[in-house]
Amino acid sequence: MRITKTSSPELYLRRPPAKNEQYRLDRVLQAAAQRGVKINIIVYKEVAQALTRTLFVLLIWIAR
């Protein structure tokens, strides 16, 4: 799966979101990690002017 700078950890992988809370990206990754799956997330360095609020939120979520 490719996640772009406009992606958010709260990205829903199935619709409608109200009926598919377990398919939110952050929850899917957390469940996989709890099962022992090693997860690697690569965040490419971007020009400071191009940083969006969404990318900032993603970086904070990853750091948790």
Side-chain angles (χ1 to χ4, degrees):
M1 171 188 295
R2 182 174 180 215
I3 300 176
T4 65
K5 71 179 182 178
T6 58
S7 297
S8 167
E10 290 87 17
L11 174 73
Y12 285 90
L13 303 175
R14 288 194 181 175
R15 295 179 186 235
K19 294 183 179 180
N20 293 295
E21 284 290 322
Q22 72 273 22
Y23 292 106
R24 214 169 77 177
L25 179 61
D26 59 340
R27 293 184 179 154
V28 170
L29 292 175
Q30 183 178 27
Q34 289 173 346
R35 289 191 313 266
V37 175
K38 183 177 178 182
I39 298 173
N40 295 302
I41 299 175
I42 300 172
V43 179
Y44 292 94
K45 182 177 179 183
E46 297 185 26
V47 178
Q49 297 168 345
L51 292 177
T52 63
R53 181 185 177 283
T54 305
L55 180 60
F56 183 69
V57 170
L58 178 63
L59 293 173
I60 290 173
W61 180 81
I62 291 170
R64 281 196 258 162

